[in-house]
Amino acid sequence: MSARTLAAIACLVVGVALAAWSLANGQLLLAVVGFALIFTFLYLVMEAANKAGKPKHEIKRAANSAWSMKDDAAGTNEEGKR
């Protein structure tokens, strides 16, 4: 596991426990800190999801793009032959 993954898991566990305990005991300031840790966890998860959605390698262009064949719907060339 990477350090970011461990930090995200720690933020979640500590944040939920701190928020629950402090709300049960009426300590609003510690509850805000717990919620901040939970939001930090959500930020780290969204950042990882966005990073995973991007390609790791450059996408190469095709040698013969289909755009040049857009007028050729029937699959024939300019002389009418396949």
Side-chain angles (χ1 to χ4, degrees), residues 22-64:
S22 59
L23 285 174
N25 290 325
Q27 297 178 351
L28 186 60
L29 185 61
L30 286 177
V32 170
V33 172
F35 285 124
L37 287 171
I38 293 170
F39 285 127
T40 303
F41 165 76
L42 292 175
Y43 171 76
L44 290 172
V45 167
M46 293 304 252
E47 187 180 49
N50 287 336
K51 187 177 178 182
K54 294 181 182 175
K56 294 182 176 134
H57 305 290
E58 181 181 350
I59 299 173
K60 298 179 182 176
R61 293 191 174 265
N64 55 350

Side-chain angles (χ1 to χ4, degrees), residues 72 74-82:
D72 190 18
T76 58
N77 59 14
E78 294 172 357
E79 293 98 27
K81 299 177 184 175
R82 276 199 177 255

